[in-house]
Amino acid sequence: MSQHGKEKQWESNIHTNFNNEMTYGDYLQLDTILSSQRRLSGHHDELLFIIIHQASELWMKLILHELEAAISSIEEGDLEPAFKKLARVSRVQEQLIQSWSVLSTLTPSEYMQFRDKLGHSSGFQSWQNRLIEFTLGHKKEQVLAVYEHQPELYRRLEKALHRPSLYDVSIQALANRGLPVDPSCLDRDWSQDYQADKSVEAAWLAVYRDVKKYWDLYELAEKLVDVEDKQQQWRYNHMKTVERIIGYKQGTGGSSGVTYLKRVLDHRFFPELWNLRTQL
């Protein structure tokens, strides 16, 4: 292309003087973000490992932002805004699922070149992932011990442990619409992992059998199923990636690694929404 042709492509209104104005990099604080990948080894592939996990934590931050807003909408009885937020959560989860396929390009031999530099640090300690699980209703008080050295973070997790989850407020929405739900499901110890209840299953069945009457609750249920489905895909891909890279070695954080991740796959966040499919 001639120099004249290149000049024609340049638009005259493009701003070039940023001496006293904010740039794209300033707004996104790219200097901070892009200087945060500090390899502890000289190995080429450690950068991949760091970026995958840092990017995942950013996506998790957005998931928590959307889940908290969705819970507030449901608590207020305004379900429709929650649908958009939960749909966004599902799309973000797809990004997290895809990230495992990128990490799986790391071979066992490559990972062993820098794994010892991690010490006892582990994804098991991801407090945002733990908050997501708490927010979805998977509560385990024992895990708080991992965060005792960070009092402010410990208190935040403890607070999340003792407040109603996304599913708890959804069950309350069923009751608010006059569907019979056992009172023990509406006023319980929120720090305990949710257990399936026959009255809740019957309430959801009523919703699915009369979609026209309960369209908003039906839509809420399907959005919850989307979120759990993606979360389970993320868990599965996590397990398979770990198996591919380290086999059945113990995790750096002390867990049983793949064995622990396989066991987690058996957990259901919203059990009645899966059980009712057999009943319909």
Side-chain angles (χ1 to χ4, degrees), residues 142-168:
Q142 304 94 306
V143 303
L144 292 181
V146 175
Y147 311 99
E148 285 181 343
H149 66 294
Q150 297 172 286
E152 186 175 341
L153 181 54
Y154 183 95
R155 287 191 293 272
R156 180 174 177 182
L157 285 157
E158 187 177 40
K159 182 179 178 180
L161 181 75
H162 289 279
R163 71 186 178 203
S165 70
L166 173 65
Y167 197 47
D168 289 321

Side-chain angles (χ1 to χ4, degrees), residues 184-195:
S184 65
C185 298
L186 305 174
D187 185 17
R188 65 183 188 86
D189 182 353
W190 308 120
S191 70
Q192 297 300 305
D193 203 24
Y194 178 78
Q195 302 297 318

Side-chain angles (χ1 to χ4, degrees), residues 11-279:
E11 296 181 6
S12 61
N13 288 331
I14 290 177
H15 199 81
T16 59
N17 185 349
F18 292 95
N19 290 330
N20 298 303
E21 292 192 50
M22 177 177 65
T23 67
Y24 170 83
D26 295 333
Y27 175 67
L28 295 178
Q29 299 185 56
L30 290 182
D31 286 348
T32 300
I33 294 173
L34 297 179
S35 62
S36 297
Q37 294 74 47
R38 299 174 185 173
R39 290 182 290 170
L40 299 181
S41 73
H43 198 274
H44 174 85
D45 293 301
E46 190 183 355
L47 185 62
L48 162 69
F49 190 82
I50 293 171
I51 288 176
I52 286 290
H53 289 88
Q54 288 183 339
S56 293
E57 291 292 336
L58 285 173
W59 284 125
M60 287 180 191
K61 182 174 183 176
L62 181 56
I63 285 175
L64 287 166
H65 179 68
E66 300 297 340
L67 287 177
E68 289 167 7
I71 287 174
S72 294
S73 292
I74 296 168
E75 286 180 321
E76 293 165 5
D78 191 11
L79 300 188
E80 288 193 7
F83 302 156
K84 172 65 178 294
K85 295 171 178 65
L86 293 176
R88 182 174 291 164
V89 168
S90 297
R91 294 295 181 90
V92 175
Q93 288 172 306
E94 290 175 4
Q95 299 297 315
L96 288 169
I97 292 165
Q98 178 60 26
S99 71
W100 294 122
S101 68
V102 181
L103 187 59
S104 68
T105 64
L106 181 68
T107 69
S109 297
E110 291 163 348
Y111 183 47
M112 288 305 119
Q113 296 299 311
F114 62 86
R115 188 178 189 242
D116 64 315
K117 299 295 184 182
L118 303 181
H120 291 301
S121 64
S122 164
F124 183 85
Q125 299 146 19
S126 168
W127 62 267
Q128 289 199 121
N129 185 48
R130 194 62 61 194
L131 267 181
I132 289 171
E133 297 242 319
F134 282 5
T135 304
L136 295 180
H138 188 27
K139 308 285 187 74
K140 296 293 179 187
E141 187 172 9
Q142 304 94 306
V143 303
L144 292 181
V146 175
Y147 311 99
E148 285 181 343
H149 66 294
Q150 297 172 286
E152 186 175 341
L153 181 54
Y154 183 95
R155 287 191 293 272
R156 180 174 177 182
L157 285 157
E158 187 177 40
K159 182 179 178 180
L161 181 75
H162 289 279
R163 71 186 178 203
S165 70
L166 173 65
Y167 197 47
D168 289 321
V169 299
S170 297
I171 292 171
Q172 181 66 59
L174 292 172
N176 290 343
R177 290 289 291 278
L179 290 158
V181 174
D182 192 307
S184 65
C185 298
L186 305 174
D187 185 17
R188 65 183 188 86
D189 182 353
W190 308 120
S191 70
Q192 297 300 305
D193 203 24
Y194 178 78
Q195 302 297 318
D197 180 85
K198 290 188 181 300
S199 70
V200 173
E201 184 172 334
W204 283 125
L205 268 170
V207 169
Y208 274 75
R209 285 172 173 159
D210 195 346
V211 172
K212 186 175 181 180
K213 180 179 180 180
Y214 298 111
W215 176 259
D216 54 346
L217 291 171
Y218 172 71
E219 183 71 11
L220 173 61
E222 285 299 293
K223 289 292 185 289
L224 293 175
V225 170
D226 287 342
V227 169
E228 172 156 353
D229 189 28
K230 293 295 191 300
Q231 190 71 6
Q232 292 289 48
Q233 289 182 47
W234 180 85
R235 284 171 160 182
Y236 178 79
N237 284 21
H238 181 192
M239 181 272 293
K240 294 304 292 184
T241 302
V242 172
E243 184 178 27
R244 175 172 178 157
I245 296 175
I246 69 168
Y248 280 76
K249 292 184 182 69
Q250 187 181 60
T252 49
S255 76
S256 57
V258 169
T259 301
Y260 168 79
L261 296 174
K262 282 186 174 180
R263 189 166 62 249
V264 170
L265 284 172
D266 292 331
H267 171 263
R268 289 287 195 191
F269 291 98
F270 318 133
E272 294 89 351
L273 293 178
W274 297 96
N275 296 343
L276 68 81
R277 279 151 165 76
T278 305
Q279 306 300 322

